[in-house]
Amino acid sequence: MAVSNGLTACGVRRVTFADSRLELARRTAIDKPDGAILQSDLEELVSLDARRRGITDLTGLEYCANLSRLVLSDNGIRDISPLVSLSKLNVVMLNGNPLSTESLTTHVPQLEEMGVLVSLSTQLQDPALRAGRLATQGRYVEALEEYIARPSRSTLTFPILYILRSFLYEMLEQPDNALDDLATAIALDSDSPAGYTARAAF
């Protein structure tokens, strides 16, 4: 079993992982290098960057119930089914992974129906998703500024770009800019839940 359903002596669920590289990424994120990982340890985890770690198995991510931003670029992931249970997920970067046909045709659409922005290497011909790829290379702001400024782009795409840039501003500790972008995203498409969900998770 990849994830233990056993209970500790105190009645708290202990979580274990089949993929040690994913476990290491999460230990780093929650600042717990040693000891058992409990389900309660994962409750405050809202962002996880686990790019280029050789990860192949995502089993256990379903316990990160409050995860909103997930970067898994350039790993060996085929099955993304554990992500479907993450109701607070806003953005997931899956660029450079050999996703299975089932993941591409079933699980990715399920995530998108939940309002999750999914970035895939198989769709990099889309300028918006290329911008997401540039973000993982540290060129995010430049790419988004250039793309947003082009008047020929559909305004239906603009909210996604502002939401993406708001996450970058948050990481750069520029909360005012992040909130401004989220407000712009909501104003551009008030019917979409993505902007509201991102603002609620901020």
Side-chain angles (χ1 to χ4, degrees):
M1 292 288 290
V3 179
S4 171
N5 289 322
L7 304 179
T8 68
C10 297
V12 179
R13 186 182 298 276
R14 175 176 177 172
V15 182
T16 58
F17 311 102
D19 195 315
S20 60
R21 291 152 295 199
L22 180 59
E23 177 179 344
L24 179 59
R26 271 185 279 193
R27 284 188 178 278
T28 301
I30 64 176
D31 194 22
K32 190 173 184 178
D34 302 301
I37 297 180
L38 307 180
Q39 187 172 348
S40 58
D41 292 327
L42 304 174
E43 291 177 354
E44 296 184 4
L45 184 61
V46 297
S47 178
L48 179 64
D49 189 333
R51 74 189 80 183
R52 294 189 294 272
R53 289 178 176 264
I55 294 168
T56 59
D57 192 337
L58 298 182
T59 305
L61 272 180
E62 61 269 25
Y63 288 95
C64 301
N66 293 314
L67 197 62
S68 65
R69 181 171 64 251
L70 182 58
V71 181
L72 294 169
S73 307
D74 302 316
N75 284 291
I77 300 163
R78 291 184 54 79
D79 178 17
I80 62 169
S81 58
L83 304 184
V84 177
S85 65
L86 299 177
S87 60
K88 295 186 179 180
L89 193 62
N90 292 320
V91 174
V92 57
M93 308 292 285
L94 293 166
N95 309 58
N97 284 282
L99 300 186
S100 67
T101 299
E102 183 179 8
S103 286
L104 288 170
T105 60
T106 301
H107 302 130
V108 168
Q110 285 177 332
L111 290 170
E112 292 175 335
E113 288 175 4
M114 293 163 53
V116 180
L117 174 63
V118 182
S119 180
L120 299 170
S121 59
T122 55
Q123 297 175 326
L124 289 180
Q125 68 274 14
D126 185 307
L129 294 174
R130 283 206 305 269
R133 178 64 169 174
L134 290 174
T136 68
Q137 301 171 352
R139 298 165 58 192
Y140 207 157
V141 172
E142 175 187 354
L144 288 178
E145 289 289 359
E146 178 179 357
Y147 182 53
I148 291 172
R150 298 180 66 176
S152 62
R153 301 302 181 190
S154 168
T155 56
L156 293 177
T157 307
F158 283 0
I160 293 176
L161 297 175
Y162 283 107
I163 291 170
L164 283 169
R165 193 173 66 176
S166 76
F167 291 136
L168 178 66
Y169 280 138
E170 183 182 355
M171 288 187 289
L172 295 175
E173 298 184 354
Q174 298 180 26
D176 291 341
N177 288 336
L179 289 172
D180 285 345
D181 272 358
L182 291 176
T184 300
I186 292 170
L188 286 170
D189 188 3
S190 60
D191 293 330
S192 171
Y196 298 102
T197 303
R199 187 175 62 182
F202 184 80

